[in-house]
Amino acid sequence: MKLPIIKHLTQFIEENDQDYIIETIEVLEAMTEISSLKEEELDVIGELISNMYGALEVHKLIKNGTDKKEALNAFMKRVMSSIDK
């Protein structure tokens, strides 16, 4: 997950609608079922999907009243602590 991408996607959600991100995730998940995709291509799709899910989580925090910067930091701390385990 990359914070600049999550930040950009969060801004996109604020300016448009989270439904665009949800539908894009559905399309990308469907694409992972293509048997001819290489491992590197699947990795890229997986990274995109995880960044989009991250943006949705940050958006949810912001919607619940958390400051944008604080929401981004809290989300990344949560991700980093789960990686450290």
Side-chain angles (χ1 to χ4, degrees):
M1 290 191 179
K2 297 189 179 190
L3 189 58
I5 293 173
I6 293 171
K7 187 177 180 181
H8 184 79
L9 289 170
T10 302
Q11 185 67 38
F12 177 87
I13 292 169
E14 290 173 0
E15 293 172 359
N16 297 282
D17 192 329
Q18 73 178 13
D19 290 342
Y20 289 109
I21 300 296
I22 293 168
E23 290 168 0
T24 302
I25 290 170
E26 291 171 0
V27 170
L28 290 172
E29 286 175 342
M31 288 180 64
T32 63
E33 298 171 13
I34 299 171
S35 61
S36 62
L37 284 178
K38 297 175 186 167
E39 192 66 34
E40 300 83 27
E41 294 167 326
L42 286 171
D43 289 344
V44 170
I45 292 172
E47 183 70 19
L48 290 169
I49 291 170
S50 65
N51 283 314
M52 289 180 190
Y53 274 122
L56 289 172
E57 286 295 315
V58 170
H59 178 68
K60 189 188 313 180
L61 290 170
I62 293 169
K63 235 171 106 173
N64 290 333
T66 307
D67 174 69
K68 185 175 183 176
K69 184 177 179 180
E70 195 177 310
L72 287 162
N73 287 334
F75 175 75
M76 288 311 290
K77 282 181 187 174
R78 197 170 82 212
V79 168
M80 296 307 289
S81 69
S82 70
I83 292 171
D84 291 341
K85 291 183 179 179

